[in-house]
Amino acid sequence: MDKLIERENAPRNPLVAAPALAVQFFLIPLAVVGLTVIVYVGFRSLLTDSRGAHDYLTEVRNGGSDRRWPAAYELSRLMADPTVRADRTLAPALVKAFDAAKDDPDPRVRQYLALAIGRLDPPLPPEAVAGLTRTLDSPDGEARISAIWALGSSGDPSVVPKLQPLYESPDQGIRKMVVYALGALPGDAQLQTLRTALQDPSPDVRWNAAVALARKGSHEGVPVLRQMLDRQYVEQAVRREVRQDEDRDPIADVMISGLRAAATLKDEALKASVTTLSQQDRSMKVRQAAMEALKVIG
């Protein structure tokens, strides 16, 4: 019995207990973390899309009906990368795919391909301009809008006479994009159309016209720009709701566009409005844009 009591009361050796503690408090959690990392990397490798522009083009040409438009969409996004646009073989391949898609039953394929072409570095190849110009007669309004935007990004002033008649469209979306494209293209041949658009019944079209004229150094749109810097007016004109899951405010977008145009013109008539926005507007993005505009205006 004495020996049993002595054995129970004997102090534990810390050197013997240390390995068990290391396994319990360090090695097991480390193994769990390591397994989690392996699973995460595995899923990421499955989800990561390493396809390039030509891979998407191949899928646009040869993929099934449920794969062509997503491939065209991903391609249009990929074209935002300057290293992708640097590929000299991409422009003719894009134009060829765009022409081949004219009979595609899904109009989204042609829409996204037009956006991809518009993101090519200007000037666009003549065959691209010709293909986009033919799309201006398409019955699909969205395809026409995409083609107009792409032509506006072409840097080719020869397309101005082809775009100006489209301002007569009853579709305000087409008029809005025509005015934007005319403002982006070089030259002064479109100034009269832009002046006319200052009186358009659609606020979006008027705003685009004022900004376009400012980019060309014209002060004729200053009254409209002043409206763009009036939050109360813009809130009444913009009917779109701000989505909580998006970091985007369409009202602030309009006001910031007006502030950038005001900075371009450096018009003293707008300085008071810009100053007020820099101090009092509820949007920090608008305040920041106003302060930047004031630095330019002086």
Side-chain angles (χ1 to χ4, degrees):
M1 178 65 73
D2 293 341
K3 291 182 180 180
L4 180 59
I5 294 173
E6 288 176 2
R7 195 160 53 241
E8 288 179 351
N9 292 335
R12 296 180 64 188
N13 188 343
L15 296 178
V16 175
L21 291 172
V23 170
Q24 181 178 356
F25 291 106
F26 295 101
L27 296 184
I28 292 177
L30 186 62
V32 172
V33 172
L35 181 61
T36 303
V37 170
I38 291 172
V39 172
Y40 173 77
V41 171
F43 275 110
R44 288 289 297 174
S45 63
L46 291 174
L47 295 175
T48 300
D49 194 342
S50 60
R51 288 177 293 177
H54 286 282
D55 297 319
Y56 285 124
L57 275 172
T58 299
E59 192 157 354
V60 167
R61 289 192 296 262
N62 304 321
S65 59
D66 60 336
R67 295 168 58 189
R68 289 195 300 274
W69 80 262
Y73 168 73
E74 291 297 336
L75 178 60
S76 70
R77 293 179 64 240
L78 202 61
M79 292 299 295
D81 187 346
T83 60
V84 175
R85 298 197 301 268
D87 184 354
R88 298 294 182 183
T89 65
L90 194 54
L94 262 175
V95 174
K96 186 176 180 180
F98 181 74
D99 285 337
K102 63 181 181 295
D103 298 321
D104 196 299
D106 192 334
R108 291 174 294 183
V109 175
R110 200 162 170 82
Q111 291 168 22
Y112 289 125
L113 287 176
L115 294 177
I117 292 174
R119 285 179 171 156
L120 289 169
D121 292 331
L124 292 184
E127 58 272 20
V129 173
L132 291 168
T133 302
R134 288 192 294 270
T135 308
L136 297 179
D137 297 325
S138 170
D140 178 29
E142 292 299 325
R144 295 172 73 191
I145 288 174
S146 298
I148 293 166
W149 177 84
L151 288 170
S153 303
S154 69
D156 186 352
S158 68
V159 305
V160 169
K162 300 179 177 69
L163 293 177
Q164 283 180 305
L166 297 178
Y167 177 70
E168 303 300 326
S169 170
D171 185 333
Q172 75 173 44
I174 289 178
R175 296 200 310 275
K176 174 182 174 181
M177 189 56 69
V178 166
V179 170
Y180 168 82
L182 291 176
L185 288 166
D188 296 331
Q190 59 270 50
L191 286 179
Q192 185 53 50
T193 301
L194 296 178
R195 294 186 188 108
T196 302
L198 289 174
Q199 308 300 324
D200 195 275
S202 168
D204 279 345
V205 179
R206 296 197 300 270
W207 296 337
N208 270 10
V211 171
L213 285 167
R215 292 176 66 179
K216 294 188 174 298
S218 171
H219 293 248
E220 294 172 87
V222 165
V224 176
L225 292 178
R226 189 180 289 110
Q227 292 176 341
M228 296 174 70
L229 303 183
D230 182 343
R231 173 172 282 278
Q232 184 176 0
Y233 173 84
V234 176
E235 286 178 344
Q236 291 175 351
V238 177
R239 302 300 181 187
R240 292 162 291 183
E241 295 182 358
V242 179
R243 290 183 55 177
Q244 298 301 320
D245 58 340
E246 290 184 359
D247 184 21
R248 184 172 175 273
D249 181 352
I251 295 170
D253 289 345
V254 171
M255 299 176 71
I256 290 170
S257 295
L259 286 165
R260 290 172 178 167
T264 299
L265 286 177
K266 301 180 183 178
D267 194 307
E268 288 291 327
L270 298 171
K271 189 172 182 179
S273 298
V274 176
T275 302
T276 300
L277 290 178
S278 72
Q279 299 170 349
Q280 300 178 10
D281 194 77
R282 70 172 68 110
S283 167
M284 294 307 297
K285 290 182 179 180
V286 172
R287 285 195 190 187
Q288 181 63 35
M291 288 188 285
E292 293 171 0
L294 280 177
K295 292 177 183 178
V296 178
I297 295 171

